Amino acid sequence: MPKKIILDVDPGHDDAIAILLAQGNPDIELAAITSVAGNQILEKTTYNAQRVATLVGATDIPIAAGAKYPLMREQITDGEVVAGSVHGVSGLDGPELPEPAMDLDPRHAAELIVDLVMAGEQDEYTLVPTGPLTNIVLAMRLEPKIVDRVKEVVLMGGAYTQGNATPAAEFNILADPEAAAAVFAAEWQVTMVGLDLTHQAVATPEIKERIRAIGTPISRVVVEWLDFFGANYDSVWKMPYPPIHDACAVARVINPSVVQVKEAFIAVETQGKWTYGETVTDFLGSYGLPFNNLAATTLDFDAFWDLIIDAIKQVS
Ligand code: RIB
Ligand code: CA
């Protein structure tokens, strides 16, 4: 049986590849897409989610827009992080994309998440957030029962070694630390697919050539995404090859052996001057608190990229 997921995204080039992977993998049923402000403002991330869904053929699922702003802190977008934007003014610069083939679901993202989860069976849905966690906490507050009903939350965000938006904080968490703190502290199991893992998922020249060799219009779009994202990533973070962060969370749901994890106590710092948004990760039990969540540690690079390439072929 395919695993049902709800993707909560802020496209974003790597969010776009996560949507493609979810749509193109036979072990995943992409039940809905919800958008959140993050890499760009909500209007742009929502429009981008619709365009990518159209591109990959996910035109028969509900897509709902969510939170325009974080819960408490002032809004930041990708463009204000570190020295500049890696996703461009549109949030998904690069190749031309189709106009949306679908209208938005009239519900708020939080309502859509609650409606689907509460109408489903126990453990029917896995939530896969790949942007700030504002929609997830709003859904929790709208209907606290979803915490028990959801199978698990597998999110791209955080880091247990070093951040990217600040030395302590990864962007998705820093964009709404109060939301993230509530999501990690809730009773459900959260798998943190953080930078420690996603920085292993780099699109090397060899990988780009494998994608280019597929030879379809969508494979060309993906190569152009990687070119744009990669060039900016190098200029902002001095990494020669772009890490495809968000797709790692989907890969974990598809095949847990592709993304290995370790149990840990994880909490989000919301008071620290220098550590605001840090995902404090205790693998050793230093706090004597229960290991409440999982932290992703090791990627099977070859298996990961095989999943991506197979998905591109599938949706092409
Ligand atoms: O720090 C990486 C995360 O921030 C990814 O989800 C990327 O899309 C941006 O949102
Ligand atoms: Ca993202």
Side-chain angles (χ1 to χ4, degrees):
M1 282 290 283
K3 297 165 190 171
K4 275 191 185 178
I5 73 169
I6 299 171
L7 260 179
D8 187 65
V9 295
D10 65 332
H13 293 72
D14 53 332
D15 302 78
I17 296 173
I19 294 169
L20 183 155
L21 176 58
Q23 178 66 10
N25 183 275
D27 296 327
I28 293 287
E29 179 182 333
L30 178 53
I33 299 173
T34 51
S35 62
V36 64
N39 282 316
Q40 260 300 346
I41 60 173
L42 181 67
E43 290 72 14
K44 294 183 178 180
T45 58
T46 304
Y47 178 55
N48 291 339
Q50 289 178 284
R51 294 195 295 165
V52 174
T54 302
L55 177 77
V56 301
T59 53
D60 56 350
I61 60 171
I63 301 179
K68 200 172 172 65
Y69 299 107
L71 282 189
M72 309 263 287
R73 64 157 296 154
E74 79 287 356
Q75 183 171 56
I76 55 172
T77 64
D78 150 61
E80 296 142 69
V81 164
V82 190
S85 161
V86 291
H87 300 282
V89 171
S90 72
L92 193 53
D93 282 14
E96 278 300 306
L97 295 175
E99 284 304 302
M102 73 294 286
D103 295 330
L104 284 177
D105 187 292
R107 288 168 286 188
H108 186 284
E111 291 174 297
L112 176 57
I113 291 167
V114 167
D115 286 352
L116 287 176
V117 170
M118 296 313 292
E121 300 295 319
Q122 181 63 35
D123 295 341
E124 184 171 349
Y125 289 93
T126 294
L127 303 187
V128 184
T130 64
L133 292 165
T134 321
N135 289 340
I136 308 305
V137 73
L138 291 175
M140 285 166 60
R141 296 298 184 254
L142 191 61
E143 179 44 84
K145 294 190 184 83
I146 68 166
V147 171
D148 304 318
R149 205 171 190 101
V150 158
K151 180 177 174 49
E152 65 172 329
V153 178
V154 182
L155 62 87
M156 191 281 137
Y160 55 80
T161 48
Q162 178 156 357
N164 56 5
T166 71
E170 178 277 328
F171 174 76
N172 288 341
I173 308 299
L174 184 68
D176 196 342
E178 289 74 19
V183 170
F184 276 93
E187 286 301 305
W188 49 23
Q189 174 178 285
V190 174
T191 299
M192 176 175 80
V193 182
L195 298 176
D196 327 279
L197 186 285
T198 66
H199 280 178
Q200 301 170 51
V202 290
T204 62
E206 295 75 22
I207 292 295
K208 273 203 313 193
E209 278 319 305
R210 283 181 62 193
I211 295 171
R212 194 190 312 276
I214 297 169
T216 62
I218 287 185
S219 67
R220 282 190 286 278
V221 165
V222 175
V223 169
E224 288 181 53
W225 278 341
L226 295 176
D227 287 342
F228 181 90
F229 184 53
N232 283 18
Y233 220 91
D234 186 19
S235 65
V236 173
W237 275 294
K238 311 298 175 239
M239 285 178 69
Y241 311 130
I244 311 305
H245 305 282
D246 296 335
C248 296
V250 175
R252 168 69 188 176
V253 179
I254 293 169
N255 180 349
S257 70
V258 175
V259 176
Q260 292 175 27
V261 298
K262 279 174 70 174
E263 291 184 333
F265 169 80
I266 306 175
V268 176
E269 177 58 64
T270 57
Q271 306 298 318
K273 175 180 178 183
W274 301 106
T275 55
Y276 186 48
E278 180 177 2
T279 44
V280 179
T281 306
D282 176 10
F283 290 113
L284 301 176
S286 314
Y287 298 116
L289 294 170
F291 284 1
N292 55 350
N293 291 307
L294 300 170
T297 57
T298 310
L299 178 74
D300 181 335
F301 179 89
D302 293 336
F304 171 76
W305 283 110
D306 286 348
L307 288 177
I308 301 280
I309 286 163
D310 289 346
I312 294 170
K313 291 173 181 172
Q314 182 61 34
V315 301
S316 284

